[in-house]
Amino acid sequence: MEKPFLHIRQPWFVEQHCICGLGFCPEKPGWRIVKVSRSQSPDEAKMLEREFAFAGRFSRGFVEPVRMEYYEGKVQAVYEDFGGRPLTWSFGAPYKEPVLFLSVALEAAKILELAHAQFEVLNFLVPHAFLLNSQSLEMRLLCPALASENAISDPAQLQKRLLSGFIQYLSPEQTGKHNLPVDARSDLYALGAIFCEMLTGSPLAQGNSPEQWLAFAQSDKPAVLPQKPFGQQPEISAIVERLVAKNPFDRYPSARTLRKDIEHCLRLMRSGSKGRNYAGELDREILFSPPTKLYGRQEEISLIQELKESAQNGRACALFVSGRAGAGKTALVRQVLANLDIENKFFAYGKISAAKSN
């Protein structure tokens, strides 16, 4: 294109691949939400194009995409401005009114329910992806940078997210340490971590570095709110703590059940009723819960443990696990890794597929 981009006049946040903020449109006077690539990297351009296309698949719930622009090797994605601002802007001052918090939380649950009705899992929710109009409480989702990607299954992808600074919102199963499924409940964990910051002003993940945040996500220690919000409203703490349960089968089964729980809680508060609300008991969906522990693999597990001990004693070892697709090779290795002490050590693994040349 020959004319320059809309210049970002109000920066919001910086991601690994772009800068996002408000830009003024001279053609049709008014503000637009703008995402501009940070460099001329083709990878950054592809990610912005992917986000734009992803948002265009949804008729409701997402910020409406307007157009893509290309200028001097950079890429810019332009979205409609509906008056929303990043949810992170409210983190500095924790919500002090329970009805206001639940009203905002309800909008977030509705947005997630709409997204999950069209896509199984977004898989990388971060706080600034939610835009909230503080006047109308309308909320929309600005497509997360890595939405719809698979769970972290290799060290390079894990390092990518570590560097992005958003690992505080990764669920335990997304770290690849546990043999647990990644589905819509992983998004619910991220939403619970966001709610925690809205309520307390402090992140759920404990620690001061990406490595400590990762250790927190991978530990079996239950996630507990740093402080109990609205001391006389235990049902709010119950909702958030269920969202951030380490085992996905202990969380809400869907955004729909979360929405119904919040709606019920709001009705009680607005009516002044003293009735109790048990988080998730109002609309419990039946889910098939496969066991996360392996059975019948003790011989293989013992062999891997022996090789690990030999390697610690200085012997060079290599392990090859073969078998038909779906036999549980990856699950076996992950099960053993979860119980190995590999602190201050390097662990490398890879996959070989007969269907791929590389």
Side-chain angles (χ1 to χ4, degrees), residues 5 7 15 26 30 38 47 62-63 70-71 172 181 207 210 223-224 236 238 245 261 280 286 295 303 314 323 335 353:
F5 282 21
H7 295 292
E15 290 188 336
R38 298 180 64 182
M47 187 168 287
F62 278 71
V63 179
Y70 302 84
Y71 179 71
V224 180
I236 292 181
D261 227 13
I286 299 177
Y295 294 90
L303 174 59
Q335 176 80 26
S353 174

Side-chain angles (χ1 to χ4, degrees), residues 196-352:
C196 175
E197 286 192 67
M198 291 169 58
L199 289 169
T200 67
S202 302
L204 175 71
Q206 302 167 3
N208 300 311
S209 67
E211 291 74 21
Q212 290 177 332
W213 297 330
L214 179 62
F216 174 83
Q218 293 180 333
S219 73
D220 295 324
K221 183 179 179 181
V224 180
L225 292 179
Q227 61 190 38
K228 298 295 182 183
F230 319 122
Q232 303 304 315
Q233 306 292 344
E235 48 276 290
I236 292 181
S237 296
I239 289 174
V240 177
E241 288 179 354
R242 188 176 183 198
L243 281 170
V244 295
K246 290 299 183 73
N247 189 323
F249 297 106
D250 294 331
R251 297 176 205 148
Y252 284 94
S254 67
R256 173 177 173 270
T257 56
L258 170 64
R259 172 181 60 79
K260 285 183 170 289
D261 227 13
I262 296 175
E263 287 174 340
H264 177 72
C265 194
L266 264 174
R267 282 195 296 269
L268 291 179
M269 289 188 181
R270 286 170 173 166
S271 65
S273 171
K274 299 298 182 182
R276 295 186 64 188
N277 174 44
Y278 295 91
E281 295 296 331
L282 298 172
D283 186 19
R284 187 177 288 275
E285 296 179 351
I286 299 177
L287 290 177
F288 172 66
S289 303
T292 57
K293 180 180 179 181
L294 293 180
Y295 294 90
R297 295 292 187 184
Q298 192 55 48
E299 182 178 348
E300 290 87 346
I301 291 175
S302 297
L303 174 59
I304 296 175
Q305 290 174 334
E306 290 177 6
L307 289 174
K308 174 248 184 182
E309 292 173 0
S310 296
Q312 285 184 322
N313 292 328
R315 178 185 172 192
C317 301
L319 174 68
F320 295 89
V321 182
S322 62
R324 60 180 177 80
K329 302 182 292 298
T330 301
L332 170 64
V333 174
R334 285 182 175 175
Q335 176 80 26
V336 176
L337 279 178
N339 298 314
L340 288 183
D341 176 19
I342 56 174
E343 186 177 0
N344 298 322
K345 304 174 181 68
F346 293 100
F347 177 80
Y349 71 96
K351 288 187 176 183
I352 300 176

Side-chain angles (χ1 to χ4, degrees), residues 53-72:
F54 187 85
R57 294 173 54 186
F58 298 91
S59 57
R60 299 170 59 196
F62 278 71
V63 179
E64 182 181 352
V66 177
R67 63 179 182 270
M68 293 290 296
E69 297 178 346
Y70 302 84
Y71 179 71
E72 293 184 350

Side-chain angles (χ1 to χ4, degrees), residues 59-297:
S59 57
R60 299 170 59 196
F62 278 71
V63 179
E64 182 181 352
V66 177
R67 63 179 182 270
M68 293 290 296
E69 297 178 346
Y70 302 84
Y71 179 71
E72 293 184 350
K74 286 191 175 184
V75 179
Q76 175 172 267
V78 182
Y79 298 82
E80 282 291 345
D81 175 32
F82 69 102
R85 300 298 178 261
L87 197 57
T88 45
W89 286 20
S90 66
F91 283 6
Y95 283 71
K96 300 184 183 301
E97 169 53 49
V99 172
L100 175 60
F101 167 76
L102 285 174
S103 299
V104 174
L106 178 60
E107 292 304 309
K110 289 179 179 178
I111 291 297
L112 210 53
E113 184 179 5
L114 284 171
H116 287 167
Q118 303 172 83
F119 205 85
E120 181 181 1
V121 55
L122 296 176
N123 201 37
F124 193 49
L125 279 181
V126 291
H128 59 246
F130 290 92
L131 302 185
L132 174 69
N133 186 314
S134 60
Q135 300 299 319
S136 64
L137 292 188
E138 179 184 4
M139 182 179 288
R140 296 186 190 179
L141 197 60
L142 189 61
C143 184
L146 299 174
S148 81
E149 285 191 357
N150 294 326
I152 295 177
S153 58
D154 63 79
Q157 185 62 248
L158 177 57
Q159 183 66 16
K160 180 179 180 180
R161 295 196 181 183
L162 274 170
L163 292 174
S164 70
F166 302 136
I167 201 166
Q168 294 138 298
Y169 309 99
L170 287 181
S171 65
E173 61 270 20
Q174 286 174 299
T175 68
K177 180 177 175 63
H178 302 289
N179 181 31
L180 296 172
V182 174
D183 53 29
R185 291 166 297 181
S186 301
D187 289 342
L188 292 174
Y189 180 94
L191 187 60
I194 293 170
F195 285 172
C196 175
E197 286 192 67
M198 291 169 58
L199 289 169
T200 67
S202 302
L204 175 71
Q206 302 167 3
N208 300 311
S209 67
E211 291 74 21
Q212 290 177 332
W213 297 330
L214 179 62
F216 174 83
Q218 293 180 333
S219 73
D220 295 324
K221 183 179 179 181
V224 180
L225 292 179
Q227 61 190 38
K228 298 295 182 183
F230 319 122
Q232 303 304 315
Q233 306 292 344
E235 48 276 290
I236 292 181
S237 296
I239 289 174
V240 177
E241 288 179 354
R242 188 176 183 198
L243 281 170
V244 295
K246 290 299 183 73
N247 189 323
F249 297 106
D250 294 331
R251 297 176 205 148
Y252 284 94
S254 67
R256 173 177 173 270
T257 56
L258 170 64
R259 172 181 60 79
K260 285 183 170 289
D261 227 13
I262 296 175
E263 287 174 340
H264 177 72
C265 194
L266 264 174
R267 282 195 296 269
L268 291 179
M269 289 188 181
R270 286 170 173 166
S271 65
S273 171
K274 299 298 182 182
R276 295 186 64 188
N277 174 44
Y278 295 91
E281 295 296 331
L282 298 172
D283 186 19
R284 187 177 288 275
E285 296 179 351
I286 299 177
L287 290 177
F288 172 66
S289 303
T292 57
K293 180 180 179 181
L294 293 180
Y295 294 90
R297 295 292 187 184

